[in-house]
Amino acid sequence: MSRGAGRALADLVWSLLRVNRPTVPVGVGRGDGVRLSDSPPLLHLADAIDGGQELVAADLLRRELRFVAAPDPTGWLRDTCRGNPPPTPDSVPLRVLTWNLALLDVLVAGRPYRQSPWVRERREGIFARLLSSGADIVLLQELWHAPEIQALGERAPAAGYRLCCPPRRHVDGLAVLLREEVLAGEPEVEVHAYGHQDRLEALDLPRKDRIHRSWLRVGFVHPALGPLSVFDTHLQAYPHAWKHRLHQSRALGLAVARRPADELVLVGGDLNAGAFYGRQAWRRPGGGIDSAWWHDALSLPALHHYGGLVDLAIRGRPLAEADLEVRLGRALDNDPEAALRGGLGCSEEHLRAYTATDCNRLYHRQYAGTEQPARLDHLLARDPAGRIHVAGSRHRFTERDLDVGGEQVEASDHYGVEVDLAVAPPT
């Protein structure tokens, strides 16, 4: 056996035998012992779980959970919105954008295994939108492969950006664009794979993309705001993977909490989980039923809890729309046949509430009727000193303005999330 074949066999065996383990054992992490009822992000979970008033955060991962009602984050969302600090006279403007580009193109034995629609046809339009977005910091997901990374990296300098996407043996789709004006020196970049992975995604076979869900941190010094870290991530997909996603949220939150106290920390990406789901059971086209949707509402508040984070998009909304996804979610129909025909109420409110929805033609083409609409894409911050005022937040790239084969479609199957910040310099 050649050395290369031996290495490939060893990698395959390792990937088959690997065991999912949290980096920090459950029960000893910072925040593990806090009661749900004593944590603002977790409080609404205590009311939704049988015996929830007696549970601590770690019990979400080590107990069998029985829900008695949908976890209702209305109070948490409204408190977040009301907690938007006023801007200071010396505040520095900062625009931040996160966007899942839907350039998914997973290959097995050189052939497509899972692919987003029209990857090659959409690529140039996506890059043009990114580089003309006006954002100072851009968190990217599903920039999967070397040709796309190289192409965006070559275009970025002419638009005043630097692409941060270090080489690694695995594939995770993560990258960050920084406008050169926000950099005072060279950025520090690191990537860490989560301890919990989907076995099929992570399987190491010759000519197969080995996907490891990860977080990417870019640390740099801002000329006026001092040290700043940006965490970008794309958590495990699909409702049935809620426990993997919950482990990943805890791991990311603990990593955020370890950053120095004087550092401004931004966190974002496709978290594959919303704050609210109206139904525990969801009927799918073809007769299937998914019956663990309320479990899917655990990972977002857990990330907030462990990382000490606040929701910038909700801070930037009018108070009347802080709980928009909850009110619309309660009224959603679950009609698989109508969903296949595109029969979902796609109002302006709906587009403001959700970033992943059948109202998006690319999303509908892939997932029609299989999932509840949700706000899966998020921008968060660690802001204990109240330095960050959110002047506004919005969903970007919601228009069907890309012509593909004579059909007008959105640039991606996810809408982007953008916030305008006014950040007070450190004291």
Side-chain angles (χ1 to χ4, degrees), residues 344-394:
L344 188 66
C346 298
S347 65
E348 286 299 317
E349 274 194 328
H350 187 101
L351 298 185
R352 292 198 301 273
Y354 303 120
T355 64
T357 166
D358 282 355
C359 293
N360 180 308
R361 285 185 176 175
L362 296 179
Y363 194 91
H364 185 268
R365 186 182 178 95
Q366 299 169 93
Y367 308 113
T370 61
E371 298 191 356
Q372 300 182 56
R375 186 171 62 98
L376 300 183
D377 304 85
H378 301 266
L379 285 171
L380 317 173
R382 189 185 68 174
D383 188 29
R387 293 174 58 192
I388 302 176
H389 169 77
V390 187
S393 67
R394 65 199 68 85

Side-chain angles (χ1 to χ4, degrees), residues 24 30 139 190 192 194 215-218 228-233 235 248-268 271 302-310 380-384:
V24 179
R30 179 179 177 178
L139 290 71
E190 59 177 327
H192 289 270
Y194 292 111
W215 54 259
L216 165 68
R217 186 187 72 87
V218 181
L228 197 152
S229 271
V230 177
F231 285 82
D232 182 25
T233 196
L235 300 185
Q248 292 167 1
S249 293
R250 175 180 175 271
L252 178 57
L254 291 173
V256 168
R258 289 194 292 268
R259 298 307 305 165
D262 64 342
E263 188 175 76
L264 190 66
V265 181
L266 303 176
V267 180
L271 304 185
L303 174 57
H304 281 257
H305 167 74
Y306 284 104
L309 298 166
V310 296
L380 317 173
R382 189 185 68 174
D383 188 29

Side-chain angles (χ1 to χ4, degrees), residues 272-284:
N272 267 312
F276 178 77
Y277 296 96
R279 297 172 182 266
Q280 174 71 316
W282 185 260
R283 293 184 296 123
R284 299 161 52 97

Side-chain angles (χ1 to χ4, degrees), residues 51 77 197 206 291 351 392:
L77 295 172
Q197 302 287 338
S291 56
L351 298 185

Side-chain angles (χ1 to χ4, degrees), residues 142-374:
E142 294 205 13
L143 185 71
W144 286 106
H145 294 298
E148 284 78 19
I149 296 168
Q150 180 179 348
L152 182 57
E154 290 172 350
R155 290 162 175 73
Y161 284 102
R162 186 179 308 194
L163 181 66
C164 300
C165 187
R168 53 269 202 193
R169 289 189 65 234
H170 68 269
V171 175
D172 54 43
L174 303 175
V176 170
L177 283 168
L178 297 176
R179 192 174 291 282
E180 290 288 350
E181 285 84 347
V182 305
L183 292 171
E186 290 297 309
E188 173 190 56
V189 185
E190 59 177 327
V191 179
H192 289 270
Y194 292 111
H196 279 254
Q197 302 287 338
D198 177 87
R199 188 172 296 278
L200 182 59
E201 286 186 352
L203 187 64
D204 198 337
L205 285 172
R207 302 181 70 198
K208 172 192 173 292
D209 294 319
R210 183 174 61 165
I211 298 174
H212 281 186
R213 302 289 174 162
S214 308
W215 54 259
L216 165 68
R217 186 187 72 87
V218 181
F220 61 96
V221 176
H222 187 283
L225 300 176
L228 197 152
S229 271
V230 177
F231 285 82
D232 182 25
T233 196
H234 186 183
L235 300 185
Q236 199 68 53
Y238 304 119
H240 68 268
W242 67 269
K243 187 164 268 190
H244 281 329
R245 194 159 41 255
L246 182 54
H247 272 288
Q248 292 167 1
S249 293
R250 175 180 175 271
L252 178 57
L254 291 173
V256 168
R258 289 194 292 268
R259 298 307 305 165
D262 64 342
E263 188 175 76
L264 190 66
V265 181
L266 303 176
V267 180
D270 178 358
L271 304 185
N272 267 312
F276 178 77
Y277 296 96
R279 297 172 182 266
Q280 174 71 316
W282 185 260
R283 293 184 296 123
R284 299 161 52 97
I289 298 177
D290 288 332
S291 56
W293 276 92
W294 290 346
H295 292 76
D296 224 29
L298 301 175
S299 58
L300 181 63
L303 174 57
H304 281 257
H305 167 74
Y306 284 104
L309 298 166
V310 296
D311 192 321
L312 298 177
I314 295 299
R315 270 191 177 181
R317 288 187 180 183
L319 182 58
E321 293 203 348
D323 61 342
L324 184 59
E325 65 203 279
V326 179
R327 289 186 278 114
L328 295 186
R330 292 192 189 284
L332 283 172
D333 289 329
N334 181 202
D335 185 338
E337 287 72 30
L340 288 175
R341 297 191 299 269
L344 188 66
C346 298
S347 65
E348 286 299 317
E349 274 194 328
H350 187 101
L351 298 185
R352 292 198 301 273
Y354 303 120
T355 64
T357 166
D358 282 355
C359 293
N360 180 308
R361 285 185 176 175
L362 296 179
Y363 194 91
H364 185 268
R365 186 182 178 95
Q366 299 169 93
Y367 308 113
T370 61
E371 298 191 356
Q372 300 182 56

Side-chain angles (χ1 to χ4, degrees), residues 95-124:
R95 179 172 290 179
V96 185
L97 169 69
T98 184
W99 196 19
N100 179 325
L101 307 181
L103 294 177
L104 177 65
D105 192 7
V106 179
L107 305 177
V108 176
R111 296 186 176 184
Y113 167 70
R114 183 164 292 163
Q115 190 176 59
S116 297
W118 301 303
V119 169
R120 292 169 182 80
E121 294 87 344
R122 291 186 293 107
R123 189 180 77 173
E124 293 304 317

